Amino acid sequence: MNEPVVRHPVIRNESTTEIPVHLLFRDETGVSSVPSGATVVGRRKGTGEQRKVTAVPVPTPVPQGPVERPGPAGPGWAAVIAGLGAVAGCGAVLWWVGLVPGPLRVLLGLPVRTYDGIGTAGWGALAALVTVGLCAFGGLARGREGYASVLTLFGAYRGSVRRTGLVWLSPLLVRRRVDVRLKHWRSEPLATVDRNGIALRVVVLVVWRVADTARATLTVADHTGYLRGQVEAGLARVLSRLPVDALSAAADSGGTRTLRDTAAVGDALTREVAERTAAAGIEVFSVQPVRIEYAPEVAEAMRRRNLAALEAKDRDRALASVVDAVEDTVRRLTARGLVGELDDYERKALVRELTVAYLGGR
């Protein structure tokens, strides 16, 4: 007879405690294994269900370039005064060392000075005065309405100047003039497709201006080319959502939106392009389609298709009106007793004759 096996604890004072199954699936307090950018949904504690994680799309960050700020600029009249003072100082130094010609000295009424050579102090004074004069006159610039100057020093952005009139800018700064006036651009026919894949040619009118000169010149290589590219991309995104034409009863009653609704299409284009071009410092006020037409390779086929659809709609409308007229005629004749009780054959014959008569009259 087998004796029962007695289990001896390996470790003294060892004890065993039962753990409920549902506790094995509980989360520890303060510990989360959900990745960033995810949402936990549909989980019940204590049921052993695993957490359901749905990924949340993270928007792609738009690269941000330098932001426009006022650049270093001084009044032009102060630079002119400093330059004239430097010229006068050079003349005084030349007179002091005796290098002023005699006729000029007599004309100016200056006393005679003998030439004893230019010392170190004279050369230093002349160099300083010449430097001041070159900086004063070399930094003069004329600011015009509707234009701004973007200043850079050794490739680093130093600010933008929108002042008008005579201004002074450091000769060490590289200047790049930017047109900030309100402009409109009428595009040439751009190729795109509608929701059904039909090739189109679209002409748009864009009203825009440069709002941030730093981004327009330093963020993109050519801000006008960037605007053109975004307009073409916006056309491809917006026009592919709707059909160019919808020849159906729903379209006639206003139930179907098409690209012929230029106001709605223009608003969608404006929002799309303005959002995309803001990173390049371009402010877009309006993007309106001026002309939407079929591409030359499909224009004739689409014209025949539209004519056939219009003819079919006209036939359906005429047939519906004839059927309504026949039904009303038969009902009124029966109600007034002008015809007796008709069997199916006679009723069909009457309906046929009335239909032929109405259609012949139309």
Side-chain angles (χ1 to χ4, degrees):
M1 183 176 182
N2 296 330
E3 295 182 359
V5 179
V6 179
R7 178 178 178 275
H8 298 281
V10 179
I11 303 175
R12 182 173 297 179
N13 299 328
E14 176 188 1
S15 61
T16 303
T17 305
E18 294 184 357
I19 302 177
V21 175
H22 68 273
L23 295 181
L24 298 177
F25 296 94
R26 265 192 173 174
D27 293 336
E28 297 180 2
T29 305
V31 178
S32 176
S33 59
V34 181
S36 60
T39 304
V40 179
V41 294
R43 180 179 181 273
R44 295 177 295 173
K45 289 187 176 182
T47 60
E49 294 183 358
Q50 299 297 325
R51 61 178 62 203
K52 300 177 182 178
V53 181
T54 58
V56 177
V58 179
T60 304
V62 178
Q64 299 293 335
V67 181
E68 179 181 336
R69 63 176 184 271
W77 59 266
V80 172
I81 293 176
L84 294 177
V87 172
C90 290
V93 172
L94 293 177
W95 170 79
W96 182 262
V97 299
L99 290 179
V100 176
L104 182 60
R105 178 177 52 79
V106 173
L107 179 63
L108 296 177
L110 299 175
V112 179
R113 297 285 299 181
T114 58
Y115 176 70
D116 295 331
I118 303 178
T120 304
W123 283 114
L126 284 176
L129 291 172
V130 169
T131 302
V132 172
L134 291 177
C135 290
F137 290 117
L140 290 177
R142 184 184 61 160
R144 298 174 55 186
E145 288 286 351
Y147 291 89
S149 296
V150 179
L151 308 178
T152 57
L153 179 62
F154 304 117
Y157 177 62
R158 288 293 178 262
S160 301
V161 177
R162 292 178 179 258
R163 298 174 58 176
T164 59
L166 190 63
V167 296
W168 180 84
L169 305 174
S170 174
L172 300 178
L173 297 175
V174 178
R175 312 168 194 175
R176 185 182 302 179
R177 177 165 290 187
V178 181
D179 189 352
V180 295
R181 295 175 296 179
L182 188 67
K183 294 179 285 294
H184 72 277
W185 167 53
R186 182 186 177 97
S187 70
E188 66 278 3
L190 302 175
T192 184
V193 295
D194 71 342
R195 188 179 65 183
N196 299 323
I198 301 174
L200 304 175
R201 293 293 185 271
V202 183
V203 178
V204 295
L205 181 65
V206 184
V207 181
W208 65 284
R209 71 172 182 178
V210 174
D212 193 309
T213 57
R215 291 185 178 181
T217 56
L218 303 178
T219 303
V220 293
D222 180 15
H223 61 275
T224 56
Y226 180 81
L227 174 63
R228 175 190 173 88
Q230 293 303 320
V231 169
E232 293 181 358
L235 281 174
R237 284 189 292 266
V238 173
L239 269 64
S240 61
R241 302 171 186 169
L242 298 174
V244 63
D245 287 310
L247 300 176
S248 62
D252 294 339
S253 61
T256 302
R257 296 177 54 192
T258 66
L259 296 181
R260 302 305 179 185
D261 186 1
T262 56
V265 173
D267 292 341
L269 276 174
T270 302
R271 290 192 299 268
E272 186 79 20
V273 176
E275 181 181 356
R276 300 283 179 171
T277 57
I282 300 174
E283 184 177 6
V284 176
F285 296 94
S286 174
V287 182
Q288 295 295 329
V290 179
R291 186 171 71 251
I292 301 178
E293 58 187 13
Y294 295 108
E297 59 270 17
V298 299
E300 184 62 25
M302 294 307 300
R303 186 183 69 83
R304 292 195 300 267
R305 173 184 173 185
N306 292 343
L307 288 177
L310 288 175
E311 292 176 357
K313 287 172 56 180
D314 185 66
R315 287 195 301 269
D316 293 342
R317 192 180 299 111
L319 183 59
S321 63
V322 167
V323 170
D324 293 339
V326 170
E327 180 183 4
D328 182 65
T329 302
V330 172
R331 184 176 64 253
R332 295 174 66 179
L333 289 174
T334 305
R336 294 185 181 183
L338 298 179
V339 295
E341 294 295 332
L342 302 176
D343 55 14
D344 292 341
Y345 178 79
E346 294 174 340
R347 182 178 296 275
K348 291 179 181 179
L350 178 61
V351 169
R352 181 173 63 254
E353 293 176 358
L354 289 175
T355 303
V356 172
Y358 281 132
L359 287 177
R362 291 180 61 87

Coordinates of all heavy atoms in Angstrom, one line a residue, residues 201-253:
R201 N -9.1 71.5 -67.3 CA -8.1 72.6 -67.3 C -8.8 73.7 -66.5 O -9.9 74.2 -66.8 CB -7.9 73.0 -68.8 CG -7.1 72.0 -69.6 CD -5.7 71.9 -69.1 NE -4.9 71.0 -70.0 CZ -4.8 69.7 -69.8 NH1 -5.5 69.1 -68.8 NH2 -4.1 68.9 -70.7
V202 N -8.0 74.2 -65.5 CA -8.6 75.2 -64.6 C -7.7 76.4 -64.6 O -6.5 76.3 -64.5 CB -8.7 74.6 -63.2 CG1 -9.3 75.7 -62.2 CG2 -9.5 73.3 -63.2
V203 N -8.3 77.6 -64.7 CA -7.6 78.9 -64.5 C -8.0 79.5 -63.2 O -9.3 79.7 -63.0 CB -7.9 79.8 -65.7 CG1 -7.2 81.2 -65.5 CG2 -7.5 79.2 -67.0
V204 N -7.1 79.9 -62.4 CA -7.4 80.5 -61.1 C -6.8 81.9 -61.0 O -5.8 82.2 -61.6 CB -6.9 79.6 -59.9 CG1 -7.6 78.3 -59.9 CG2 -5.4 79.4 -60.0
L205 N -7.4 82.7 -60.1 CA -6.9 84.1 -59.8 C -6.6 84.1 -58.4 O -7.5 83.9 -57.5 CB -8.0 85.1 -60.2 CG -7.6 86.6 -59.9 CD1 -6.4 87.0 -60.9 CD2 -8.8 87.5 -60.1
V206 N -5.3 84.4 -58.0 CA -4.8 84.3 -56.7 C -4.4 85.8 -56.3 O -3.7 86.4 -57.0 CB -3.6 83.4 -56.6 CG1 -3.1 83.3 -55.1 CG2 -3.9 82.0 -57.1
V207 N -5.0 86.2 -55.1 CA -4.7 87.5 -54.5 C -3.8 87.2 -53.3 O -4.3 86.5 -52.4 CB -5.9 88.3 -54.2 CG1 -5.6 89.6 -53.6 CG2 -6.8 88.5 -55.4
W208 N -2.6 87.8 -53.3 CA -1.7 87.4 -52.2 C -0.7 88.5 -52.0 O -0.6 89.5 -52.7 CB -0.9 86.1 -52.5 CG 0.0 86.3 -53.7 CD1 -0.4 86.3 -55.0 CD2 1.4 86.4 -53.7 NE1 0.7 86.4 -55.9 CE2 1.8 86.5 -55.1 CE3 2.4 86.5 -52.7 CZ2 3.1 86.7 -55.5 CZ3 3.7 86.7 -53.1 CH2 4.1 86.8 -54.5
R209 N 0.1 88.4 -50.9 CA 1.2 89.3 -50.6 C 2.2 88.6 -49.7 O 1.9 87.6 -49.1 CB 0.7 90.6 -50.0 CG 0.2 90.4 -48.5 CD -0.1 91.7 -47.9 NE -0.5 91.5 -46.5 CZ -0.8 92.5 -45.6 NH1 -0.8 93.7 -46.1 NH2 -1.2 92.2 -44.4
V210 N 3.4 89.2 -49.6 CA 4.4 88.7 -48.6 C 4.1 89.3 -47.3 O 4.2 90.6 -47.2 CB 5.8 89.0 -49.2 CG1 6.8 88.6 -48.1 CG2 6.1 88.3 -50.5
A211 N 3.8 88.5 -46.3 CA 3.5 89.0 -45.0 C 4.8 89.0 -44.1 O 4.9 89.8 -43.2 CB 2.4 88.3 -44.3
D212 N 5.6 88.0 -44.2 CA 6.8 87.8 -43.4 C 8.0 87.7 -44.4 O 8.2 86.7 -45.1 CB 6.7 86.6 -42.6 CG 7.8 86.5 -41.5 OD1 9.0 86.7 -41.8 OD2 7.5 86.3 -40.3
T213 N 8.8 88.8 -44.5 CA 9.9 88.9 -45.4 C 11.0 87.9 -45.1 O 11.7 87.4 -46.0 CB 10.4 90.3 -45.5 OG1 10.9 90.7 -44.2 CG2 9.4 91.3 -46.0
A214 N 11.2 87.6 -43.8 CA 12.3 86.7 -43.4 C 12.0 85.3 -43.9 O 12.8 84.6 -44.5 CB 12.4 86.7 -41.9
R215 N 10.7 84.8 -43.7 CA 10.4 83.5 -44.1 C 10.3 83.4 -45.7 O 10.7 82.4 -46.2 CB 9.1 83.1 -43.5 CG 9.1 82.8 -42.0 CD 7.8 82.3 -41.5 NE 7.8 82.1 -40.1 CZ 6.8 81.6 -39.4 NH1 5.7 81.3 -40.0 NH2 6.9 81.4 -38.1
A216 N 9.8 84.5 -46.3 CA 9.7 84.4 -47.8 C 11.0 84.3 -48.5 O 11.1 83.8 -49.5 CB 8.9 85.6 -48.2
T217 N 12.1 84.9 -47.9 CA 13.4 84.9 -48.5 C 14.4 83.9 -48.0 O 15.2 83.4 -48.8 CB 14.0 86.3 -48.4 OG1 14.1 86.6 -47.0 CG2 13.2 87.4 -49.1
L218 N 14.2 83.5 -46.8 CA 15.2 82.6 -46.1 C 14.6 81.1 -45.9 O 15.4 80.2 -45.8 CB 15.6 83.1 -44.8 CG 16.3 84.5 -44.8 CD1 16.6 85.0 -43.4 CD2 17.5 84.6 -45.7
T219 N 13.3 81.0 -45.9 CA 12.8 79.6 -45.7 C 12.7 78.9 -47.0 O 12.9 77.6 -47.0 CB 11.4 79.7 -45.0 OG1 11.5 80.4 -43.8 CG2 10.8 78.4 -44.7
V220 N 12.3 79.5 -48.1 CA 12.2 78.9 -49.4 C 13.1 79.6 -50.4 O 13.4 80.8 -50.2 CB 10.7 78.9 -49.9 CG1 9.8 78.1 -49.0 CG2 10.2 80.3 -49.9
A221 N 13.5 78.9 -51.4 CA 14.4 79.5 -52.4 C 13.7 80.5 -53.3 O 14.3 81.5 -53.6 CB 15.0 78.3 -53.3
D222 N 12.4 80.2 -53.6 CA 11.6 81.1 -54.5 C 10.2 81.1 -54.0 O 9.5 80.1 -54.2 CB 11.7 80.7 -55.9 CG 10.9 81.6 -56.9 OD1 10.6 82.7 -56.4 OD2 10.7 81.1 -58.0
H223 N 9.8 82.2 -53.3 CA 8.5 82.1 -52.7 C 7.3 82.2 -53.8 O 6.3 81.6 -53.6 CB 8.3 83.3 -51.7 CG 8.4 84.6 -52.3 ND1 9.6 85.3 -52.5 CD2 7.5 85.5 -52.8 CE1 9.4 86.5 -53.0 NE2 8.2 86.6 -53.3
T224 N 7.6 82.8 -55.0 CA 6.6 82.7 -56.0 C 6.4 81.3 -56.6 O 5.3 80.9 -56.9 CB 6.9 83.7 -57.1 OG1 8.2 83.4 -57.6 CG2 6.9 85.2 -56.6
G225 N 7.5 80.6 -56.8 CA 7.4 79.2 -57.2 C 6.8 78.3 -56.2 O 6.0 77.4 -56.5
Y226 N 7.1 78.6 -54.9 CA 6.4 77.8 -53.9 C 4.9 78.1 -53.9 O 4.1 77.1 -53.7 CB 7.0 78.2 -52.5 CG 6.5 77.5 -51.3 CD1 6.9 76.2 -51.0 CD2 5.5 78.1 -50.5 CE1 6.4 75.6 -49.9 CE2 5.0 77.4 -49.4 CZ 5.4 76.2 -49.1 OH 4.9 75.5 -48.0
L227 N 4.5 79.3 -54.1 CA 3.1 79.6 -54.1 C 2.4 78.9 -55.3 O 1.3 78.3 -55.2 CB 2.8 81.1 -54.2 CG 1.4 81.6 -54.5 CD1 0.5 81.2 -53.3 CD2 1.4 83.1 -54.7
R228 N 3.1 78.9 -56.4 CA 2.5 78.2 -57.6 C 2.3 76.7 -57.3 O 1.3 76.1 -57.6 CB 3.4 78.4 -58.8 CG 3.0 77.6 -60.0 CD 4.0 77.7 -61.1 NE 3.7 76.8 -62.2 CZ 2.9 77.1 -63.3 NH1 2.4 78.4 -63.3 NH2 2.6 76.3 -64.2
G229 N 3.4 76.1 -56.7 CA 3.3 74.7 -56.4 C 2.1 74.4 -55.5 O 1.4 73.4 -55.6
Q230 N 1.9 75.2 -54.4 CA 0.9 75.0 -53.5 C -0.5 75.2 -54.1 O -1.5 74.5 -53.7 CB 1.0 75.9 -52.3 CG 2.3 75.5 -51.4 CD 2.3 74.1 -51.0 OE1 1.2 73.5 -50.6 NE2 3.5 73.5 -51.0
V231 N -0.6 76.1 -55.1 CA -1.9 76.3 -55.8 C -2.2 75.0 -56.6 O -3.4 74.5 -56.6 CB -1.8 77.5 -56.6 CG1 -3.0 77.6 -57.6 CG2 -1.8 78.8 -55.8
E232 N -1.2 74.5 -57.3 CA -1.5 73.3 -58.1 C -1.8 72.1 -57.2 O -2.7 71.3 -57.5 CB -0.2 72.9 -58.9 CG 0.0 74.0 -60.0 CD 1.3 73.6 -60.8 OE1 1.9 72.6 -60.5 OE2 1.6 74.3 -61.7
A233 N -1.1 72.0 -56.0 CA -1.5 70.9 -55.1 C -2.9 71.1 -54.5 O -3.6 70.1 -54.3 CB -0.4 70.8 -54.0
G234 N -3.2 72.3 -54.2 CA -4.6 72.6 -53.6 C -5.7 72.3 -54.6 O -6.7 71.8 -54.3
L235 N -5.4 72.6 -55.9 CA -6.4 72.2 -56.9 C -6.6 70.7 -57.0 O -7.7 70.2 -57.1 CB -5.9 72.8 -58.3 CG -6.1 74.3 -58.6 CD1 -5.5 74.6 -59.9 CD2 -7.6 74.6 -58.6
A236 N -5.5 70.0 -56.9 CA -5.6 68.5 -57.0 C -6.3 68.0 -55.8 O -7.1 67.0 -56.0 CB -4.2 67.9 -57.1
R237 N -6.2 68.6 -54.7 CA -6.9 68.0 -53.5 C -8.4 68.4 -53.5 O -9.2 67.6 -53.1 CB -6.2 68.5 -52.2 CG -4.9 67.8 -51.9 CD -4.4 68.2 -50.5 NE -4.0 69.6 -50.5 CZ -2.7 70.0 -50.7 NH1 -1.8 69.2 -51.0 NH2 -2.4 71.3 -50.6
V238 N -8.7 69.7 -53.8 CA -10.0 70.2 -53.7 C -10.9 69.7 -54.8 O -12.0 69.2 -54.6 CB -10.0 71.7 -53.6 CG1 -11.5 72.2 -53.6 CG2 -9.3 72.2 -52.3
L239 N -10.4 69.8 -56.0 CA -11.3 69.5 -57.2 C -11.5 68.0 -57.3 O -12.4 67.5 -58.0 CB -10.6 70.0 -58.5 CG -11.0 71.4 -58.9 CD1 -10.6 72.4 -57.9 CD2 -10.5 71.7 -60.2
S240 N -10.7 67.1 -56.7 CA -10.9 65.7 -56.8 C -12.0 65.2 -55.8 O -12.3 64.0 -55.8 CB -9.6 65.0 -56.4 OG -9.1 65.3 -55.1
R241 N -12.6 66.1 -55.0 CA -13.6 65.7 -54.1 C -15.0 65.8 -54.7 O -15.9 65.2 -54.2 CB -13.6 66.6 -52.9 CG -12.3 66.6 -52.1 CD -12.3 67.7 -51.1 NE -11.0 67.8 -50.4 CZ -10.6 68.8 -49.6 NH1 -11.5 69.8 -49.4 NH2 -9.4 68.9 -49.1
L242 N -15.2 66.5 -55.8 CA -16.5 66.7 -56.4 C -16.5 66.4 -57.9 O -15.4 66.6 -58.6 CB -17.0 68.2 -56.2 CG -17.1 68.6 -54.8 CD1 -17.5 70.1 -54.7 CD2 -18.2 67.9 -54.1
P243 N -17.6 66.1 -58.5 CA -17.7 65.9 -60.0 C -17.8 67.3 -60.6 O -18.3 68.2 -60.0 CB -18.9 65.1 -60.2 CG -19.8 65.4 -59.0 CD -18.8 65.6 -57.8
V244 N -17.3 67.4 -61.8 CA -17.4 68.7 -62.5 C -18.9 68.9 -63.0 O -19.3 70.1 -62.9 CB -16.5 68.7 -63.8 CG1 -16.9 67.6 -64.8 CG2 -16.5 70.1 -64.4
D245 N -19.6 67.9 -63.3 CA -21.1 68.1 -63.7 C -21.8 66.9 -63.1 O -21.3 65.8 -63.0 CB -21.3 68.1 -65.2 CG -20.8 69.4 -65.8 OD1 -21.2 70.5 -65.2 OD2 -20.0 69.4 -66.7
A246 N -23.1 67.1 -62.8 CA -24.0 66.0 -62.3 C -25.3 66.2 -62.9 O -26.1 67.0 -62.4 CB -24.0 66.0 -60.8
L247 N -25.6 65.6 -64.0 CA -26.8 65.7 -64.8 C -27.8 64.7 -64.3 O -28.0 63.6 -64.9 CB -26.6 65.6 -66.3 CG -25.6 66.6 -66.9 CD1 -25.3 66.3 -68.3 CD2 -26.1 68.0 -66.7
S248 N -28.4 65.0 -63.2 CA -29.4 64.0 -62.6 C -30.5 64.8 -61.9 O -30.4 66.1 -61.7 CB -28.7 63.1 -61.6 OG -28.2 63.8 -60.6
A249 N -31.5 64.1 -61.5 CA -32.6 64.8 -60.8 C -32.1 65.4 -59.4 O -32.5 66.4 -59.0 CB -33.8 63.8 -60.5
A250 N -31.2 64.7 -58.8 CA -30.7 65.2 -57.5 C -29.9 66.4 -57.7 O -30.0 67.4 -56.9 CB -29.8 64.1 -56.8
A251 N -29.2 66.5 -58.8 CA -28.4 67.7 -59.1 C -29.3 68.9 -59.4 O -29.1 70.0 -59.0 CB -27.5 67.5 -60.3
D252 N -30.5 68.6 -60.1 CA -31.4 69.7 -60.4 C -32.0 70.2 -59.2 O -32.3 71.4 -59.1 CB -32.5 69.2 -61.4 CG -31.9 68.8 -62.8 OD1 -30.8 69.3 -63.1 OD2 -32.5 68.0 -63.5
S253 N -32.3 69.4 -58.2 CA -32.9 69.9 -57.0 C -31.9 70.4 -56.0 O -32.3 70.7 -54.9 CB -33.7 68.7 -56.3 OG -32.8 67.6 -56.0

